[in-house]
Amino acid sequence: MSSLLVVNGPNLNLLGQRQPQVYGRTTLAEIEQNCIAHGQRLGCEVQCFQSNHEGALIDALHGARGVHDGIVLNAGAYTHSSIALMDAIVSVELPVVELHLSNIHARESFRHKSYIAPVAVGQICGFGAHGYILALDALKAHLDGAK
Ligand code: CA2
């Protein structure tokens, strides 16, 4: 059975509580429960992790090696700034699907740049909380295709 890790970055613990017009009304706890339930439908174990700290996110990526088969990553604003996260993704040699609730390409120009995209399998954005389900489907299909 494949094991998938869903990682959420800074401020995403506030989902559903602030800025619902941008990020929707679904809480992070609900997203994580939906991911675990969808993992069961896919025949995968899903674990979830969130941190507001760049180093903790890097530690979580490092810890995924040998434990999980792939990662869904919403790095939040670190997407647009963190070469360290990009290096961590390369170092773990696991497939990463980049995920954003909002369509980052339709927002401010500073959100158009992603340090994650060049080292990810692909990017899903703009579909709100449902994007996590799409990302898990994409990651599972990628892993099945690599077998
Ligand atoms: O659209 C996404 O998923 C983002 O990764 C969200 C980040 C943003 O910096 C990225 O450009 C796109 C921001 C997450 C902030 O989350 C909040 C949730 C509720 C209330 C306030 C912030």
Side-chain angles (χ1 to χ4, degrees):
M1 183 189 270
S2 295
S3 178
L4 312 179
L5 179 64
V6 176
V7 176
N8 281 290
N11 298 308
L12 289 159
N13 55 310
L14 298 176
L15 281 175
Q17 302 172 37
R18 320 252 171 83
Q19 292 182 259
Q21 71 283 3
V22 182
Y23 299 117
R25 296 194 179 278
T26 311
T27 65
L28 182 61
E30 289 167 339
I31 285 174
E32 291 181 344
Q33 281 309 312
N34 290 343
C35 286
I36 290 165
H38 193 63
Q40 288 171 353
R41 288 191 283 274
L42 293 175
C44 298
E45 186 202 11
V46 172
Q47 290 183 16
C48 301
F49 177 79
Q50 188 273 334
S51 178
N52 294 319
H53 304 278
E54 189 175 19
L57 295 167
I58 291 168
D59 288 344
L61 293 174
H62 290 177
R65 190 174 163 85
V67 176
H68 301 289
D69 299 293
I71 300 167
V72 172
L73 174 61
N74 185 349
Y78 288 140
T79 302
H80 318 298
S81 65
S82 180
I83 297 168
L85 265 181
M86 179 182 76
D87 287 346
I89 291 168
V90 173
S91 74
V92 296
E93 297 179 324
L94 288 173
V96 170
V97 174
E98 178 182 359
L99 183 278
H100 300 284
L101 294 143
S102 62
N103 180 355
I104 57 173
H105 304 288
R107 299 182 66 192
E108 304 97 321
S109 59
F110 62 83
R111 295 187 204 274
H112 300 176
K113 166 73 181 177
S114 168
Y115 283 98
I116 311 298
V119 294
V121 173
Q123 182 190 73
I124 294 170
C125 68
F127 295 99
H130 184 62
Y132 287 84
I133 303 302
L134 299 174
L136 288 169
D137 284 344
L139 183 56
K140 175 69 163 58
H142 176 82
L143 290 168
D144 288 348
K147 275 183 190 157

